[in-house]
Amino acid sequence: MPNLLGQPINRVDGRKKVTGRALYAADQRFGGLLYAYPVVSTIGSGEIVRLDASAAEQAPGVVAVFHADNFPKIRRIKEAMDQGVKTGEARPPFEDKKIHYAGQYVALVVAESFAQARWASHLVHVDYREEKPALTLDAGLKAAAAEDAEKKDKAGKKGGAGSGDYKRGDPEKAFDEAPVMLDETYTTPVEVHNPMEMHAATARWEDGKLIVHDSTQWVVGSRTTLAKFLELDPKNVTVHAPFIGAGFGCKLFLWPHTVLAAVAARELHRPVKFMLTRKDQFTAAGHRPQTRQRLRLAATPDGRLVSLRHDTIAHTGHAGKFEESCGRGTRSMYSCANLGVTQKTVPVNVGTPTAMRAPGAAPGLFALESAMDEFAEKLKMDPIDFRRKNLADHDEDKKIPWSSNHLAECYDVVARNFGWAKRSPGIGSMRDGREILGWGFAAAYWPSEREKATVRVELNADGTARIACATQDIGTGTYTVFAQVAGEMLGLPPEKIEIVLGDSSLPPGPISGGSMVTATVVPTIARGCREALQKLYKGLTAPGAVWAGGDPAKIARTEDGFTAPSGARLSWPDAFAAAERDRVVAETTLAPGEEEKKFSFHSFGAHCVEVRWDPGIARLRVSRMASAIDAGRIVNQKTARNQVHGSLIMGLGMVLLEESVYDPRNGRVVTDNLADYHMAVHADLPQLDVTLLDHPDPNNGDFGVKGIGEIGITGVTAAIANAIYHATGRRLRSLPITVEKLLA
Ligand code: MOS
């Protein structure tokens, strides 16, 4: 029998991808296909006074130019995440003539070719009434205060507490009375997901039904939300996303371009493709908002936390709302009786931000884990010892035990692998020739969530199986791990198993977000496979059948087929023949149950980082990164490790390079391309030494999988910043930490 679980098998879809047979949303070609190209606002705030599309309408190949005056009216919808209705930007396209951010779509040119659409887009003339955009948190706060004052005058209304606000014990009093305290503020800039594949939607209508190839992390959500916007029965909308060139969060929810493609196709009775340019990715498809976070910590002299406060502000947009919950992890990561989190969200004139890999926690743990490092130094404690002293033996936020928690082991394993014991604590005390070494540590923490999912399992007489679920593989190896699990359950090699995903008409599956697909669908596949086999066994034991009267539960899948308790054997095809079936089908739904209330599910981790600072030539490099991750049972050592590698690389970019810069005059993105927006590339990378602990979670269904997609980027940012401090003595609390800032 195959022993597949945990094996580092290659991606089952790898060959399709490298041979170009994996078709993405923008690769779709249909007869009569039209191409859409947007005209975007060049101002950051104000309104359209006049829009003249006449020259564009007469340009070669142009079929239509849509804008606020001629686009069919679309009503705003009521969002309900649990029902699959969620937009990236709540404002329907061309709702009115208001401009909320530079880059907002003001017109859409549809033409016979991409080049014709793009050319004609330059011929659309727009006059604006321009206002000064509010781009920074302070400008946003000022504008919001002015608006509030106006509203209060009218209605006497007051704003309530933020949805992320939380308190236990008396953090103020405990802080004031504590002998040792820390009070520091950290900031993170706007970052942009920049998946390799741009957002794209190719829409067509057939007999009143809408079919969209959408680059989405959620075919079910894209389908349901589109149906809501277009006032259609969801049954009449199908969304396909068999392959996605990554998402990192920017493809979770429905953005205006998909709505525009669908409506344009309906109006013009032809298929329409709308692919964003890299430039548009920076404005109209989400980003991680800027954050400012104040951390206040207090402890006893021997390093027990007695008060912890995390006050956060992040921006949102005017065309849609998103809350970055930086303090969510702070509530339960460490043991502390007196704890407070506040979460303020302020609108500014940029596109709507959205979830970006480990939303909340990536910036949140940069602040918290930097503060923990600063505080350890104040206490004259080793940063790992300080954290060990404050480990939470249960979730003090939800007041329930952890489902499984191997954080302490993560500390030990990563410290051993990295050689942490050889660290000398003095600033700049570790040298290698001209270079000063800095060693930093931080912990990682991310919820491990599950959702309801349905899986259809089909067993075929020819020794193949088919597993279908309306979830999707965003490039992370979902096809592969599903084939492994089904293979393990059915006793079939992965190549005999067809995994069908990325089609909203399949049985409903989860969003590829929150690191939850594997933990959600693996137990569902396991149960579905068991049920399908039982159906076959019932056929074999039915009256008059080959093993009539036998107990179906006692039949076993063995090397060469199936074995009855009597020792009698049937090969796979003979069993199907004996049961008079070509195919056995089971459809299984599994939802998280009581265990969700009894246990707190999280993944954990720890990182050690080495940086090298050469002051002579002002060169800063990350030279080593080591991580230990507790993400439950590891289904595939290669794809899982690859997820953590990706997160570490993204974390490196977040600390040293990434920042989306807006022009203060007009809110336009200055860094709207991959030359000016810097991300970590291979040349920036050190050795990555990742250990996956591989302890199954006893409460998370078959195999005990936990989430692994996002945990790696949590904390690693602080580990790098802490290493930079250890090398240079410069505590930089504002990302990115550039050489210019180090030299200032
Ligand atoms: Mo992740 S930010 O939930 O794609």
Side-chain angles (χ1 to χ4, degrees):
M1 299 296 285
N3 175 18
L4 291 166
L5 224 66
Q7 297 297 327
I9 69 169
N10 289 333
R11 280 173 163 72
V12 296
D13 50 336
R15 185 175 294 269
K16 267 190 193 160
K17 284 186 171 169
V18 298
T19 55
R21 282 179 299 133
L23 294 187
Y24 293 77
D27 296 332
Q28 304 297 326
R29 285 169 187 277
F30 301 103
L33 182 62
L34 293 169
Y35 296 79
Y37 197 93
V39 179
V40 303
S41 167
T42 54
I43 67 161
S45 178
E47 65 182 338
I48 300 167
V49 176
R50 195 179 70 96
L51 187 146
D52 180 3
S54 53
E57 280 161 354
Q58 276 142 43
V62 171
V63 175
V65 181
F66 292 108
H67 46 79
D69 285 328
N70 67 1
F71 194 70
K73 187 83 191 153
I74 297 175
R75 279 207 294 264
R76 290 212 178 206
I77 57 176
K78 198 168 172 291
E79 307 209 343
M81 185 73 198
D82 56 344
Q83 283 159 46
V85 184
K86 179 93 179 77
T87 60
E89 186 168 304
R91 177 183 185 270
F94 307 146
E95 182 180 45
D96 53 27
K97 300 196 178 175
K98 287 203 182 85
I99 298 298
H100 300 289
Y101 61 93
Q104 179 182 317
Y105 303 141
V106 296
L108 186 75
V109 180
V110 186
E112 298 288 344
S113 77
F114 175 77
Q116 288 170 328
R118 183 175 54 185
W119 163 249
S121 76
H122 302 309
L123 304 176
V124 176
H125 188 87
V126 190
D127 291 326
Y128 299 98
R129 185 184 56 72
E130 189 171 355
E131 287 167 17
K132 192 168 166 46
L135 299 169
T136 62
L137 290 170
D138 285 327
L141 285 169
K142 219 170 122 189
E147 206 171 288
D148 263 9
E150 205 174 283
K151 264 191 217 150
K152 243 182 264 174
D153 278 352
K154 282 185 194 146
K157 260 185 159 176
K158 266 203 319 212
S163 64
D165 291 4
Y166 167 86
K167 193 167 166 174
R168 68 173 176 254
D170 191 343
E172 291 81 10
K173 184 161 173 281
F175 185 86
D176 292 342
E177 289 171 358
V180 200
M181 59 253 289
L182 178 97
D183 181 352
E184 295 294 352
T185 297
Y186 305 81
T187 67
T188 64
V190 171
E191 291 149 12
V192 179
H193 310 69
N194 275 309
M196 185 122 54
E197 180 209 15
M198 258 77 76
H199 282 77
T202 306
R204 68 186 205 276
W205 292 76
E206 278 175 15
D207 308 325
K209 293 185 178 171
L210 172 63
I211 304 150
V212 184
H213 288 263
D214 190 19
S215 185
T216 175
Q217 294 174 237
W218 195 21
V219 287
V220 171
S222 177
R223 186 266 321 265
T224 316
T225 311
L226 259 180
K228 203 90 179 170
F229 262 132
L230 304 185
E231 299 177 44
L232 293 169
D233 185 332
K235 281 205 284 292
N236 293 330
V237 182
T238 308
V239 170
H240 295 278
F243 297 101
I244 298 120
F248 310 118
C250 66
K251 296 173 181 169
L252 291 170
F253 310 125
L254 190 78
W255 294 101
H257 66 275
T258 306
V259 183
L260 285 168
V263 174
R266 188 185 67 196
E267 296 303 300
L268 302 172
H269 306 286
R270 288 172 68 179
V272 171
K273 180 194 293 188
F274 187 169
M275 184 174 100
L276 268 61
T277 60
R278 183 61 68 183
K279 182 182 165 78
D280 297 331
Q281 290 280 147
F282 282 82
T283 49
H287 57 267
R288 197 197 294 282
Q290 60 194 314
T291 75
R292 184 162 68 214
Q293 307 174 55
R294 181 179 183 192
L295 257 304
R296 277 172 288 181
L297 280 65
T300 58
D302 64 344
R304 273 210 157 279
L305 282 172
V306 295
S307 174
L308 175 53
R309 271 176 293 173
H310 193 171
D311 299 299
T312 76
I313 309 177
H315 78 228
T316 182
H318 286 283
K321 198 166 156 52
F322 174 77
E323 283 187 74
E324 185 80 13
S325 48
C326 296
R328 192 167 64 158
T330 308
R331 291 158 59 154
S332 52
M333 201 166 153
Y334 295 107
S335 174
C336 186
N338 306 294
L339 191 140
V341 168
T342 63
Q343 179 181 312
K344 211 185 183 100
T345 305
V346 51
V348 298
N349 293 112
V350 302
T352 314
T354 195
M356 180 165 163
R357 204 172 200 171
L365 264 66
F366 162 66
L368 175 63
E369 288 296 287
S370 294
M372 288 294 283
D373 196 71
E374 296 196 49
F375 205 33
E377 194 191 23
K378 243 185 183 181
L379 292 159
K380 297 189 173 53
M381 283 180 80
D382 174 84
I384 303 183
D385 291 341
F386 174 47
R387 287 175 177 83
R388 206 178 267 120
K389 193 142 202 171
N390 291 288
L391 277 172
D393 64 3
H394 68 285
D395 184 338
E396 295 181 5
D397 169 16
K398 295 181 180 158
K399 302 185 178 65
I400 47 178
W402 305 109
S403 58
S404 62
N405 179 340
H406 303 280
L407 181 55
E409 188 182 339
C410 290
Y411 293 170
D412 296 342
V413 168
V414 78
R416 193 173 60 234
N417 291 349
F418 186 82
W420 185 262
K422 294 197 214 79
R423 179 179 188 262
S424 79
I427 303 301
S429 64
M430 297 175 74
R431 283 186 166 266
D432 182 8
R434 293 176 322 186
E435 292 181 322
I436 303 169
L437 306 187
W439 287 9
F441 175 87
Y445 180 90
W446 183 247
S448 175
E449 293 180 343
R450 278 167 63 201
E451 268 193 357
K452 188 174 167 182
T454 305
V455 165
R456 185 163 59 232
V457 178
E458 300 174 9
L459 312 181
N460 298 312
D462 65 357
T464 63
R466 184 177 188 270
I467 311 285
C469 179
T471 186
Q472 46 286 307
D473 185 336
I474 56 172
T476 49
T478 307
Y479 282 110
T480 311
V481 298
F482 286 6
Q484 270 176 283
V485 169
E488 181 83 14
M489 296 303 299
L490 299 171
L492 294 174
E495 56 274 18
K496 294 283 182 198
I497 296 164
E498 185 194 2
I499 304 292
V500 188
L501 312 172
D503 174 347
S504 66
S505 63
L506 298 171
I511 186 170
S512 291
S515 307
M516 70 169 103
V517 165
T518 305
T520 294
V521 185
V522 160
T524 319
I525 291 176
R527 182 185 284 193
C529 289
R530 244 183 244 122
E531 286 178 6
L533 286 172
Q534 280 306 309
K535 272 195 176 174
L536 174 67
Y537 300 162
K538 278 193 186 129
L540 296 175
T541 53
V546 59
W547 291 337
D551 180 355
K554 294 218 168 107
I555 297 176
R557 175 83 174 97
T558 46
E559 198 68 54
D560 48 358
F562 303 96
T563 305
S566 66
R569 288 179 183 202
L570 285 169
S571 71
W572 181 289
D574 288 348
F576 278 74
E580 292 178 19
R581 303 272 201 118
D582 289 331
R583 173 185 290 177
V584 173
V585 181
E587 199 161 295
T588 301
T589 300
L590 203 59
E594 282 301 299
E595 76 279 4
E596 295 278 298
K597 287 181 207 133
K598 283 197 278 192
F599 301 103
S600 174
F601 292 85
H602 283 78
S603 292
F604 301 91
H607 312 281
C608 288
V609 169
E610 176 187 88
V611 300
R612 287 170 176 258
W613 169 237
D614 184 340
I617 56 168
R619 186 173 69 179
L620 178 72
R621 304 282 290 173
V622 174
S623 47
R624 284 200 294 144
M625 294 170 102
S627 302
I629 304 289
D630 163 26
R633 181 77 182 270
I634 302 302
V635 181
N636 181 319
Q637 281 282 343
K638 183 179 275 180
T639 56
R641 188 177 310 274
N642 182 230
Q643 284 280 77
V644 180
H645 283 175
S647 273
L648 297 178
I649 295 162
M650 224 168 176
L652 191 154
M654 184 170 169
V655 182
L656 299 182
L657 303 164
E658 294 193 40
E659 177 173 24
S660 194
V661 177
Y662 296 92
D663 186 326
R665 295 167 303 174
N666 49 34
R668 288 189 223 166
V669 178
V670 179
T671 50
D672 61 3
N673 58 79
L674 295 187
D676 293 316
Y677 185 87
H678 296 167
M679 289 185 290
V681 296
H682 283 94
D684 297 302
L685 294 185
Q687 281 178 40
L688 303 172
D689 172 12
V690 173
T691 302
L692 306 169
L693 295 191
D694 205 12
H695 298 313
D697 185 295
N699 305 301
N700 219 19
D702 274 299
F703 303 121
V705 172
K706 294 197 284 189
I708 202 166
E710 293 164 282
I711 177 92
I713 196 175
T714 72
V716 70
T717 46
I720 298 169
N722 297 342
I724 293 170
Y725 172 75
H726 183 229
T728 66
R730 297 293 310 282
R731 178 62 72 174
L732 293 167
R733 303 183 184 91
S734 177
L735 294 185
I737 301 176
T738 57
V739 168
E740 293 89 321
K741 286 185 192 168
L742 272 174
L743 293 176

